[in-house]
Amino acid sequence: MNVARFSIHACKRLYTTKSVTLTVDKFPGYVRHPHFKKQTQQDLTYFESIVGQHGYINNKDEMVPYNTDWMNKFRGQSQLVLMPRTTQQVSAILRYCHDQKLAVVPQGGNTGLVGGSVPVFDEIILNMKNMNRVRSFDSVSGILTADAGCILEVLDNWLAEKGYMMPLDLAAKGSCHIGGNIATNAGGLRLLRYGSLHGTVLGLEVVLANGTVLNNMSTLRKDNTGFDLKQLFIGSEGTIGVITGVSILTPLRSKAVNVALLGLNSFDDVQVAFKKSRVELSEILSAFEFWDIHSFQMYKKHFNHKDVMEKDYPFYILIETSGSNKDHDDQKLTSYLEQMMVNGVAQDGVVAQDQQQMRDLWGIRDGLTEALGKEPAVYKYDISIPVAKIWDCTEDMRHHLKTGGVFGEADSPVINVVAYGHIGDGNVHLNIVTKDLDTRVSDLIEPYLFEWVAKHQGSISAEHGLGVAKNEFLGYSKSPEMIELMKTTKAMLDPKGILNPYKYLPQS
Ligand code: FAD
Ligand code: 2HG
Ligand code: ZN
């Protein structure tokens, strides 16, 4: 059976009918850097000479989706989107912007969840969607080189025909770009099995702020010559260079895939099930995801869901195995599931019998973000903490918001606190759903949650990054010396600060 991981929720963009507050109005402390030039007609004429008349958008209405982020939470006021087709065009644009002191926001699929992909003021948007060619593929090693603007799902489908797959997978795959994935160091649903992009990315082509093209499109798995500069750009969120090309190691597509969903009574049981899955399923385990009942209720509220179990449980885990021998994998999974049921770790469970059922089970996990996006407002937190602390953190937040008087009553501003995420990576997505964006709530969450995370040696951003949402809190995860070195690095690579200003590093 040739199984891809399909998503029934292909990362739909949720357009809002109400206008999104400008980011500058949310962060009144932010002041447009006076040294940035305001774009002129002369600049537009130059850009048109580079990208052609179809390579840019400057119509106010057409620009709305480029100025507004996926969550409809952040909105900038750019007057120009440039859509280059080649690395040389990116280079010419940046050289000009550098000379003219024009600020730029690199943008991929605009699915980022921290406001990093949209401007704060009038920065020019450099959207990479027209750089969407596969450059080469080595069917012996599985090494793919491609333009940064290729959509993740398109690459995955392309590789499927060759028996390979992308090493990362996320619900946003129908829209996000591989360049955006690398710029955010996206984790996703398969990190447990295939590791992080710091391991799978073999080379990058990057255009620096002054237009210099840094060609490091290595297709080598081993190369110990000098500093590994590409690592600096992985997770740099468009602040030190624009990624234009990618060389990445892709794994073989598994011939046998199984997906199971289990209902459990406690988070302790979730941990037991995870520990046991590593022992029993070991090399075939390809995903271990969890969500709580509150997340599931949100999913059911917004999607037409047909229950697969007789009753609801406080916790759910989704387990995927991927291997090369169906009989062997089935046997291992059956034995594991039997143990879970007999020992009372799991209360109920289902195993997908065909691809449609796999899609349906994964559809719940993939649909959680989208379901929450249909609520009036959501505060999103994406933290790394020891697995054992994941539920303590969630419970603590529920309690904290209740004692703070904003949660628990019908007229409370908080609708619910929900948690889901990547158990195998120690990464929980804590989402606080509210009736509106409300400082009574956000002031209770921040910096309280970040203090909690720091106390447990965690990270305030496991995978979504910093953008404008978390940059001021970087000190909770990195020392002053490290932040200083980051600032020095930024100043060295982008001395005029034109790349994605106001974000990533603390501004205060
Ligand atoms: P954008 O949102 O366009 O940009 C993100 C950042 O990268 C911005 O700072 C931007 O300036 C920069 N950037 C983009 N392209 C380039 C480039 N070529 N060169 C330099 N900088 C660039 N994240 C996870 O880690 N795991 C998940 O499981 C996950 N699931 C998601 C599910 C949904 C439904 C959604 C909406 C988002 C999810 N995300 C997840 C968050 C998001 O980080 C990823 O969707 C993705 O990596 C962003 O890629 P993008 O192309 O949309 O980048
Ligand atoms: C996921 O794992 C994404 O689904 C999004 O990282 C998390 O919605 C979120 O908070
Ligand atoms: Zn995630």
Side-chain angles (χ1 to χ4, degrees):
M1 184 169 46
N2 179 19
V3 180
R5 253 258 308 106
F6 303 94
S7 166
I8 50 173
H9 304 282
C11 180
K12 288 191 202 81
R13 179 73 194 265
L14 310 163
Y15 288 102
T16 178
T17 43
K18 57 179 186 184
S19 96
V20 178
T21 313
L22 288 172
T23 305
V24 279
D25 293 336
K26 284 205 181 86
F27 301 98
Y30 278 24
V31 179
R32 186 184 182 282
H33 287 326
H35 73 261
F36 288 144
K37 195 182 108 175
K38 288 209 165 161
Q39 187 203 310
T40 62
Q41 181 55 43
Q42 213 180 350
D43 300 327
L44 185 61
T45 308
Y46 175 78
F47 291 131
E48 189 173 330
S49 78
I50 300 295
V51 294
Q53 57 176 350
H54 300 299
Y56 69 91
I57 299 171
N58 64 346
N59 172 301
K60 208 171 166 218
D61 292 338
E62 284 177 46
M63 290 198 53
V64 171
Y66 299 88
N67 262 320
T68 318
D69 79 317
W70 191 89
M71 299 176 292
N72 292 312
K73 206 167 181 179
F74 300 100
R75 184 160 68 93
Q77 307 164 76
S78 180
Q79 288 151 31
L80 182 63
V81 182
L82 295 173
M83 297 170 294
R85 293 194 169 273
T86 65
T87 303
Q88 289 65 38
Q89 290 182 2
V90 175
S91 169
I93 290 167
L94 287 188
R95 197 177 317 116
Y96 181 85
C97 291
H98 187 257
D99 289 347
Q100 297 291 320
K101 292 199 184 124
L102 286 162
V104 175
V105 178
Q107 188 178 72
N110 197 10
T111 66
L113 298 173
V114 289
S117 51
V118 290
V120 175
F121 293 94
D122 57 351
E123 299 88 273
I124 292 169
I125 298 170
L126 190 64
N127 186 293
M128 299 298 288
K129 69 176 173 190
N130 283 342
M131 286 195 65
N132 55 10
R133 286 174 312 114
V134 169
R135 297 189 187 179
S136 69
F137 180 66
D138 180 336
S139 62
V140 177
S141 61
I143 295 166
L144 171 81
T145 68
D147 286 352
C150 290
I151 290 175
L152 179 61
E153 189 171 40
V154 172
L155 287 179
D156 196 54
N157 289 340
W158 190 89
L159 286 169
E161 289 175 17
K162 292 166 174 54
Y164 282 84
M165 61 190 259
M166 290 301 281
L168 79 160
D169 183 23
L170 40 149
K173 69 177 173 181
S175 307
C176 63
H177 296 181
I178 186 64
N181 298 147
I182 293 170
T184 54
N185 187 24
L189 307 157
R190 289 204 179 114
L191 189 135
L192 166 81
R193 170 75 164 263
Y194 301 110
S196 100
L197 289 166
H198 282 292
T200 49
V201 172
L202 302 178
L204 289 179
E205 178 187 82
V206 179
V207 181
L208 300 180
N210 64 5
T212 303
V213 179
L214 204 65
N215 185 342
N216 180 212
M217 285 290 278
S218 167
T219 50
L220 305 172
R221 289 200 67 180
K222 298 177 90 172
D223 176 12
N224 275 355
T225 52
F227 294 126
D228 191 358
L229 293 177
K230 68 172 183 294
Q231 299 295 352
L232 211 48
F233 297 92
I234 301 174
S236 62
E237 298 183 38
T239 57
I240 52 172
V242 176
I243 299 166
T244 48
V246 175
S247 165
I248 190 164
L249 184 65
T250 70
L252 278 165
R253 214 169 193 89
S254 299
K255 290 193 201 124
V257 176
N258 284 311
V259 179
L261 177 70
L262 304 182
L264 302 91
N265 272 341
S266 72
F267 192 74
D268 281 346
D269 289 339
V270 173
Q271 291 183 76
V272 173
F274 175 55
K275 211 170 150 196
K276 201 78 184 146
S277 74
R278 297 177 73 191
V279 177
E280 297 293 323
L281 303 171
S282 50
E283 82 288 352
I284 61 167
L285 184 65
S286 52
F288 194 107
E289 296 288 310
F290 100 104
W291 58 91
D292 67 0
I293 180 65
H294 307 291
S295 313
F296 198 28
Q297 280 163 351
M298 284 288 168
Y299 179 82
K300 292 204 256 190
K301 178 172 166 190
H302 294 289
F303 294 112
N304 188 11
H305 173 76
K306 229 173 89 205
D307 275 318
V308 287
M309 294 182 209
E310 272 169 19
K311 54 179 265 217
D312 282 344
Y313 294 94
F315 295 93
Y316 293 87
I317 55 175
L318 184 147
I319 296 174
E320 185 189 73
T321 65
S322 308
S324 57
N325 183 326
K326 176 125 181 70
D327 292 342
H328 164 270
D329 294 3
D330 286 358
Q331 208 178 2
K332 270 185 140 175
L333 182 63
T334 307
S335 153
Y336 167 77
L337 294 175
E338 273 171 14
Q339 287 181 52
M340 291 300 98
M341 297 297 291
V342 169
N343 297 335
V345 178
Q347 303 308 311
D348 198 358
V350 291
V351 181
Q353 298 302 306
D354 55 33
Q355 294 205 13
Q356 182 57 48
Q357 290 183 1
M358 284 188 205
R359 276 197 286 271
D360 290 348
L361 295 185
W362 265 116
I364 304 171
R365 174 63 185 88
D366 279 350
L368 298 176
T369 304
E370 200 183 322
L372 297 181
K374 292 174 188 284
E375 290 290 320
V378 185
Y379 291 96
K380 280 193 173 296
Y381 297 93
D382 154 48
I383 57 178
S384 268
I385 41 174
V387 177
K389 293 281 165 211
I390 285 179
W391 196 244
D392 292 350
C393 176
T394 313
E395 292 271 76
D396 187 83
M397 181 53 72
R398 296 179 79 85
H399 178 73
H400 178 64
L401 295 175
K402 272 181 190 160
T403 52
V406 295
F407 179 39
E409 305 295 334
D411 59 350
S412 302
V414 174
I415 297 172
N416 212 342
V417 177
V418 315
Y420 49 96
H422 318 288
I423 283 286
D425 313 333
N427 173 193
V428 60
H429 296 306
L430 187 62
N431 280 257
I432 293 132
V433 185
T434 55
K435 291 176 185 157
D436 208 342
L437 293 176
D438 188 328
T439 50
R440 280 176 302 164
V441 179
S442 54
D443 288 351
L444 273 175
I445 309 172
E446 299 175 9
Y448 179 83
L449 178 66
F450 302 132
E451 285 163 1
W452 204 101
V453 169
K455 201 168 81 195
H456 293 91
Q457 288 77 46
S459 168
I460 62 159
S461 171
E463 55 177 14
H464 298 161
L466 301 161
V468 281
K470 311 275 157 64
N471 58 336
E472 294 303 334
F473 303 104
L474 182 57
Y476 286 97
S477 289
K478 292 290 182 289
S479 68
E481 295 76 19
M482 291 182 83
I483 296 176
E484 207 41 52
L485 188 55
M486 289 183 200
K487 287 185 174 171
T488 310
T489 308
K490 163 79 179 171
M492 180 182 72
L493 292 172
D494 179 18
K496 296 183 182 172
I498 61 163
L499 285 178
N500 225 356
Y502 318 108
K503 300 170 185 156
Y504 196 63
L505 294 169
Q507 304 295 300
S508 50

